[in-house]
Amino acid sequence: MSNEHQPNGSARVGVVGAGQLARMMGEAAHDVGVRVTVLATSREDSAVATSDAVLLGEATDPVALRQLAKDVDVITFDHELVDLGVLEQLEAEGVVLRPSSAALRFAVDKAYQRATFLDAGLPVPRFLVVSSSADERLRAFLDELDAAPVVKASRGGYDGRGVAFPATREEALFDIGQMSARGPVVVEERLDLVGEVAQLVVRAVDGTLSFYPVVTSVQRAGMCAEVRFPSDLDEATLREAQGLSERVAELVAGVGVLAIEYFVTERGLLVNEVALRPHNTGHWTIEGVRTSQFAQHLRAVSGQSLGDVTPLSSYAVMVNVVGADEPGSLDAAKDVAGTFVHDYGKAWRPGRKLGHVTALGEEPTGPHVRAWEGARAYGTVTREA
Ligand code: ADP
């Protein structure tokens, strides 16, 4: 990774993957003095339109990754569908990955994440990791639960794919059998959720942490439908979240954005999962916070100091646009006054995240109404939360 060919002294950041997160990194890059090269699987990928350079290849291909490493100073990620073995090899060759492969393991491998958090004394759902439905510990574990468990593939799932909610113990054993053919399975208690919240913590190269405010995320069919700032937590639970986020960030120790999702339950907060990249629960920061999560991520991974994360309004609402059977109208969405409409430039497909709409305000109702009005006009399939 030489430092030659750096126009205007910009840091050169390579992004593995070219989805909407890389697209929004590309939009933020020039303001923070960064040039982005994406490793895309196709010229049609969302981030091709906003990046400075494009390399075609798979995220798991060592040859493509080595080529990317030659072109940039540091490599970061748009998603976690990576091969940790390949990434460790690259690090051994001197390639700078931010976050590191060791930190990424928390996002790639749910079994590792749950076990490491439990060992560290962090609150997590009761769980058991098995590699087959015949595991002898399974019967006793299922007997302990009040209801059928949630069954999760340890690796490879996102946006609710790789997560099953069986209705009965028999269905659970069937799901475990199916999923375990592809790798270890996390079997966990099905929680009665009061809600879900998330917090983004950004870690600079020198270990400095910057905390975005806690937000509420509203899920529909295993996907995030709406994000609200501020969260609906009381003061004591907010402090609990802040304390947990700091412990998780110190433990994971990744450079860049760490998104921590929490389950809110009657027995307090439990850590659901972490992502080491800009996250859907932080899209509102593009307009809602002085330094967006995309700018902050690029600042962190390129070795800069972190920016100011003061919110710019008292309330913010972001609604995802998830493709319905028929496309809606981007123009109609843009006509809704007081909204910021983001289109990811993707082909319309039912069930696909195609964009998002954000609205800000000084009271809670207006932003909620406007963001949903925009998302409905755009054609989201999700019903209002
Ligand atoms: P993904 O990695 O696909 O985002 P998650 O593990 O976050 O999967 O699960 C997706 C959603 O499913 C969560 O946001 C939550 O709404 C629900 N869910 C997951 N695990 C549980 C659980 N143990 N109890 C109740 N609901 C759950």
mmCIF file of all heavy atoms in Angstrom, residues 338-365:
data_model
loop_
_atom_site.group_PDB
_atom_site.id
_atom_site.type_symbol
_atom_site.label_atom_id
_atom_site.label_comp_id
_atom_site.label_asym_id
_atom_site.label_seq_id
_atom_site.Cartn_x
_atom_site.Cartn_y
_atom_site.Cartn_z
ATOM 1 N N GLY A 338 -40.634 18.980 3.249
ATOM 2 C CA GLY A 338 -39.959 18.724 4.530
ATOM 3 C C GLY A 338 -39.423 17.314 4.668
ATOM 4 O O GLY A 338 -39.323 16.800 5.781
ATOM 5 N N THR A 339 -39.086 16.673 3.554
ATOM 6 C CA THR A 339 -38.487 15.337 3.649
ATOM 7 C C THR A 339 -37.171 15.310 2.867
ATOM 8 O O THR A 339 -36.963 16.094 1.938
ATOM 9 C CB THR A 339 -39.403 14.243 3.043
ATOM 10 O OG1 THR A 339 -39.648 14.568 1.678
ATOM 11 C CG2 THR A 339 -40.711 14.118 3.787
ATOM 12 N N PHE A 340 -36.303 14.407 3.249
ATOM 13 C CA PHE A 340 -35.069 14.142 2.513
ATOM 14 C C PHE A 340 -35.192 12.732 1.960
ATOM 15 O O PHE A 340 -35.282 11.774 2.729
ATOM 16 C CB PHE A 340 -33.854 14.245 3.431
ATOM 17 C CG PHE A 340 -33.718 15.598 4.083
ATOM 18 C CD1 PHE A 340 -34.221 15.808 5.363
ATOM 19 C CD2 PHE A 340 -33.101 16.639 3.410
ATOM 20 C CE1 PHE A 340 -34.103 17.052 5.971
ATOM 21 C CE2 PHE A 340 -32.972 17.886 4.012
ATOM 22 C CZ PHE A 340 -33.481 18.101 5.283
ATOM 23 N N VAL A 341 -35.236 12.625 0.629
ATOM 24 C CA VAL A 341 -35.476 11.324 -0.005
ATOM 25 C C VAL A 341 -34.161 10.792 -0.561
ATOM 26 O O VAL A 341 -33.482 11.477 -1.327
ATOM 27 C CB VAL A 341 -36.507 11.472 -1.142
ATOM 28 C CG1 VAL A 341 -36.785 10.112 -1.781
ATOM 29 C CG2 VAL A 341 -37.799 12.085 -0.609
ATOM 30 N N HIS A 342 -33.804 9.589 -0.167
ATOM 31 C CA HIS A 342 -32.571 8.959 -0.657
ATOM 32 C C HIS A 342 -32.934 7.740 -1.487
ATOM 33 O O HIS A 342 -33.595 6.826 -0.992
ATOM 34 C CB HIS A 342 -31.683 8.531 0.513
ATOM 35 C CG HIS A 342 -31.148 9.686 1.292
ATOM 36 N ND1 HIS A 342 -29.869 10.155 1.132
ATOM 37 C CD2 HIS A 342 -31.743 10.490 2.211
ATOM 38 C CE1 HIS A 342 -29.686 11.189 1.938
ATOM 39 N NE2 HIS A 342 -30.802 11.418 2.599
ATOM 40 N N ASP A 343 -32.488 7.759 -2.722
ATOM 41 C CA ASP A 343 -32.752 6.651 -3.637
ATOM 42 C C ASP A 343 -31.430 5.894 -3.817
ATOM 43 O O ASP A 343 -30.400 6.513 -4.079
ATOM 44 C CB ASP A 343 -33.224 7.244 -4.972
ATOM 45 C CG ASP A 343 -33.296 6.189 -6.055
ATOM 46 O OD1 ASP A 343 -33.823 5.109 -5.771
ATOM 47 O OD2 ASP A 343 -32.813 6.464 -7.177
ATOM 48 N N TYR A 344 -31.456 4.578 -3.649
ATOM 49 C CA TYR A 344 -30.205 3.812 -3.729
ATOM 50 C C TYR A 344 -29.843 3.396 -5.163
ATOM 51 O O TYR A 344 -28.865 2.681 -5.364
ATOM 52 C CB TYR A 344 -30.274 2.573 -2.830
ATOM 53 C CG TYR A 344 -30.560 2.873 -1.367
ATOM 54 C CD1 TYR A 344 -31.161 1.915 -0.545
ATOM 55 C CD2 TYR A 344 -30.227 4.102 -0.800
ATOM 56 C CE1 TYR A 344 -31.424 2.179 0.792
ATOM 57 C CE2 TYR A 344 -30.492 4.375 0.538
ATOM 58 C CZ TYR A 344 -31.100 3.412 1.331
ATOM 59 O OH TYR A 344 -31.361 3.684 2.648
ATOM 60 N N GLY A 345 -30.653 3.815 -6.121
ATOM 61 C CA GLY A 345 -30.330 3.518 -7.523
ATOM 62 C C GLY A 345 -30.412 2.038 -7.855
ATOM 63 O O GLY A 345 -29.732 1.559 -8.751
ATOM 64 N N LYS A 346 -31.260 1.305 -7.135
ATOM 65 C CA LYS A 346 -31.355 -0.154 -7.366
ATOM 66 C C LYS A 346 -32.574 -0.476 -8.212
ATOM 67 O O LYS A 346 -33.579 0.231 -8.150
ATOM 68 C CB LYS A 346 -31.534 -0.876 -6.032
ATOM 69 C CG LYS A 346 -30.364 -0.799 -5.090
ATOM 70 C CD LYS A 346 -30.773 -1.559 -3.836
ATOM 71 C CE LYS A 346 -29.660 -1.676 -2.837
ATOM 72 N NZ LYS A 346 -30.112 -2.439 -1.664
ATOM 73 N N ALA A 347 -32.491 -1.585 -8.941
ATOM 74 C CA ALA A 347 -33.658 -2.052 -9.689
ATOM 75 C C ALA A 347 -34.763 -2.423 -8.693
ATOM 76 O O ALA A 347 -34.486 -2.955 -7.623
ATOM 77 C CB ALA A 347 -33.278 -3.277 -10.513
ATOM 78 N N TRP A 348 -36.020 -2.083 -9.057
ATOM 79 C CA TRP A 348 -37.156 -2.366 -8.184
ATOM 80 C C TRP A 348 -37.333 -3.870 -8.026
ATOM 81 O O TRP A 348 -37.363 -4.599 -9.002
ATOM 82 C CB TRP A 348 -38.434 -1.779 -8.792
ATOM 83 C CG TRP A 348 -39.559 -1.766 -7.812
ATOM 84 C CD1 TRP A 348 -40.415 -2.790 -7.538
ATOM 85 C CD2 TRP A 348 -39.917 -0.695 -6.954
ATOM 86 N NE1 TRP A 348 -41.283 -2.422 -6.553
ATOM 87 C CE2 TRP A 348 -41.008 -1.141 -6.167
ATOM 88 C CE3 TRP A 348 -39.431 0.603 -6.759
ATOM 89 C CZ2 TRP A 348 -41.616 -0.336 -5.222
ATOM 90 C CZ3 TRP A 348 -40.040 1.402 -5.809
ATOM 91 C CH2 TRP A 348 -41.123 0.935 -5.055
ATOM 92 N N ARG A 349 -37.415 -4.318 -6.781
ATOM 93 C CA ARG A 349 -37.715 -5.727 -6.537
ATOM 94 C C ARG A 349 -38.510 -5.813 -5.236
ATOM 95 O O ARG A 349 -38.114 -5.194 -4.241
ATOM 96 C CB ARG A 349 -36.418 -6.529 -6.405
ATOM 97 C CG ARG A 349 -36.638 -8.035 -6.487
ATOM 98 C CD ARG A 349 -35.405 -8.820 -6.032
ATOM 99 N NE ARG A 349 -34.207 -8.554 -6.784
ATOM 100 C CZ ARG A 349 -32.968 -8.662 -6.263
ATOM 101 N NH1 ARG A 349 -32.799 -9.002 -5.013
ATOM 102 N NH2 ARG A 349 -31.910 -8.428 -6.993
ATOM 103 N N PRO A 350 -39.639 -6.545 -5.246
ATOM 104 C CA PRO A 350 -40.408 -6.652 -4.003
ATOM 105 C C PRO A 350 -39.535 -7.155 -2.853
ATOM 106 O O PRO A 350 -38.737 -8.078 -3.033
ATOM 107 C CB PRO A 350 -41.496 -7.682 -4.353
ATOM 108 C CG PRO A 350 -41.646 -7.573 -5.824
ATOM 109 C CD PRO A 350 -40.268 -7.271 -6.350
ATOM 110 N N GLY A 351 -39.667 -6.511 -1.690
ATOM 111 C CA GLY A 351 -38.930 -6.931 -0.506
ATOM 112 C C GLY A 351 -37.530 -6.353 -0.393
ATOM 113 O O GLY A 351 -36.853 -6.558 0.610
ATOM 114 N N ARG A 352 -37.067 -5.619 -1.412
ATOM 115 C CA ARG A 352 -35.712 -5.088 -1.408
ATOM 116 C C ARG A 352 -35.694 -3.675 -0.814
ATOM 117 O O ARG A 352 -36.593 -2.879 -1.070
ATOM 118 C CB ARG A 352 -35.247 -5.018 -2.866
ATOM 119 C CG ARG A 352 -33.779 -4.776 -3.058
ATOM 120 C CD ARG A 352 -33.450 -4.794 -4.544
ATOM 121 N NE ARG A 352 -32.048 -5.136 -4.753
ATOM 122 C CZ ARG A 352 -31.398 -4.976 -5.889
ATOM 123 N NH1 ARG A 352 -32.039 -4.508 -6.958
ATOM 124 N NH2 ARG A 352 -30.138 -5.302 -5.995
ATOM 125 N N LYS A 353 -34.641 -3.353 -0.020
ATOM 126 C CA LYS A 353 -34.495 -1.975 0.476
ATOM 127 C C LYS A 353 -34.028 -1.096 -0.676
ATOM 128 O O LYS A 353 -32.940 -1.288 -1.215
ATOM 129 C CB LYS A 353 -33.441 -1.922 1.587
ATOM 130 C CG LYS A 353 -33.975 -2.236 2.964
ATOM 131 C CD LYS A 353 -32.892 -2.029 4.016
ATOM 132 C CE LYS A 353 -33.282 -2.694 5.327
ATOM 133 N NZ LYS A 353 -32.119 -2.855 6.237
ATOM 134 N N LEU A 354 -34.850 -0.117 -1.054
ATOM 135 C CA LEU A 354 -34.590 0.674 -2.261
ATOM 136 C C LEU A 354 -34.177 2.109 -1.967
ATOM 137 O O LEU A 354 -33.642 2.802 -2.829
ATOM 138 C CB LEU A 354 -35.841 0.698 -3.136
ATOM 139 C CG LEU A 354 -36.308 -0.684 -3.593
ATOM 140 C CD1 LEU A 354 -37.740 -0.627 -4.079
ATOM 141 C CD2 LEU A 354 -35.388 -1.217 -4.671
ATOM 142 N N GLY A 355 -34.467 2.555 -0.754
ATOM 143 C CA GLY A 355 -34.142 3.928 -0.392
ATOM 144 C C GLY A 355 -34.650 4.207 1.008
ATOM 145 O O GLY A 355 -35.104 3.294 1.703
ATOM 146 N N HIS A 356 -34.550 5.471 1.418
ATOM 147 C CA HIS A 356 -35.148 5.832 2.701
ATOM 148 C C HIS A 356 -35.545 7.305 2.672
ATOM 149 O O HIS A 356 -35.083 8.066 1.812
ATOM 150 C CB HIS A 356 -34.194 5.531 3.862
ATOM 151 C CG HIS A 356 -33.017 6.453 3.960
ATOM 152 N ND1 HIS A 356 -31.780 6.165 3.437
ATOM 153 C CD2 HIS A 356 -32.890 7.678 4.522
ATOM 154 C CE1 HIS A 356 -30.944 7.154 3.675
ATOM 155 N NE2 HIS A 356 -31.592 8.100 4.327
ATOM 156 N N VAL A 357 -36.435 7.653 3.594
ATOM 157 C CA VAL A 357 -36.927 9.026 3.684
ATOM 158 C C VAL A 357 -36.745 9.497 5.124
ATOM 159 O O VAL A 357 -37.145 8.796 6.055
ATOM 160 C CB VAL A 357 -38.425 9.106 3.291
ATOM 161 C CG1 VAL A 357 -38.920 10.548 3.364
ATOM 162 C CG2 VAL A 357 -38.653 8.524 1.898
ATOM 163 N N THR A 358 -36.151 10.678 5.299
ATOM 164 C CA THR A 358 -35.931 11.232 6.637
ATOM 165 C C THR A 358 -36.672 12.558 6.770
ATOM 166 O O THR A 358 -36.756 13.316 5.800
ATOM 167 C CB THR A 358 -34.418 11.480 6.872
ATOM 168 O OG1 THR A 358 -33.729 10.229 6.766
ATOM 169 C CG2 THR A 358 -34.147 12.085 8.236
ATOM 170 N N ALA A 359 -37.215 12.803 7.941
ATOM 171 C CA ALA A 359 -37.799 14.118 8.241
ATOM 172 C C ALA A 359 -37.346 14.548 9.629
ATOM 173 O O ALA A 359 -37.219 13.716 10.532
ATOM 174 C CB ALA A 359 -39.320 14.060 8.166
ATOM 175 N N LEU A 360 -37.082 15.843 9.775
ATOM 176 C CA LEU A 360 -36.618 16.405 11.049
ATOM 177 C C LEU A 360 -37.655 17.386 11.576
ATOM 178 O O LEU A 360 -38.466 17.899 10.798
ATOM 179 C CB LEU A 360 -35.297 17.175 10.848
ATOM 180 C CG LEU A 360 -34.169 16.476 10.103
ATOM 181 C CD1 LEU A 360 -32.975 17.434 9.955
ATOM 182 C CD2 LEU A 360 -33.742 15.214 10.830
ATOM 183 N N GLY A 361 -37.626 17.660 12.874
ATOM 184 C CA GLY A 361 -38.551 18.660 13.401
ATOM 185 C C GLY A 361 -38.301 18.951 14.861
ATOM 186 O O GLY A 361 -37.453 18.325 15.503
ATOM 187 N N GLU A 362 -39.061 19.916 15.369
ATOM 188 C CA GLU A 362 -38.927 20.316 16.771
ATOM 189 C C GLU A 362 -39.996 19.691 17.649
ATOM 190 O O GLU A 362 -40.070 19.946 18.847
ATOM 191 C CB GLU A 362 -38.928 21.846 16.888
ATOM 192 C CG GLU A 362 -37.668 22.486 16.270
ATOM 193 C CD GLU A 362 -36.375 21.822 16.774
ATOM 194 O OE1 GLU A 362 -36.210 21.679 17.993
ATOM 195 O OE2 GLU A 362 -35.541 21.415 15.925
ATOM 196 N N GLU A 363 -40.886 18.902 17.048
ATOM 197 C CA GLU A 363 -41.859 18.116 17.822
ATOM 198 C C GLU A 363 -41.982 16.761 17.111
ATOM 199 O O GLU A 363 -41.567 16.631 15.958
ATOM 200 C CB GLU A 363 -43.201 18.872 17.940
ATOM 201 C CG GLU A 363 -43.770 19.394 16.611
ATOM 202 C CD GLU A 363 -44.324 18.289 15.744
ATOM 203 O OE1 GLU A 363 -45.055 17.430 16.277
ATOM 204 O OE2 GLU A 363 -44.027 18.267 14.533
ATOM 205 N N PRO A 364 -42.495 15.705 17.797
ATOM 206 C CA PRO A 364 -42.380 14.348 17.259
ATOM 207 C C PRO A 364 -43.347 13.982 16.132
ATOM 208 O O PRO A 364 -43.001 13.161 15.270
ATOM 209 C CB PRO A 364 -42.650 13.455 18.482
ATOM 210 C CG PRO A 364 -43.320 14.312 19.482
ATOM 211 C CD PRO A 364 -42.959 15.727 19.202
ATOM 212 N N THR A 365 -44.536 14.569 16.100
ATOM 213 C CA THR A 365 -45.549 14.064 15.172
ATOM 214 C C THR A 365 -45.245 14.411 13.720
ATOM 215 O O THR A 365 -45.352 13.558 12.829
ATOM 216 C CB THR A 365 -46.946 14.636 15.551
ATOM 217 O OG1 THR A 365 -47.101 14.491 16.950
ATOM 218 C CG2 THR A 365 -48.053 13.899 14.834
#
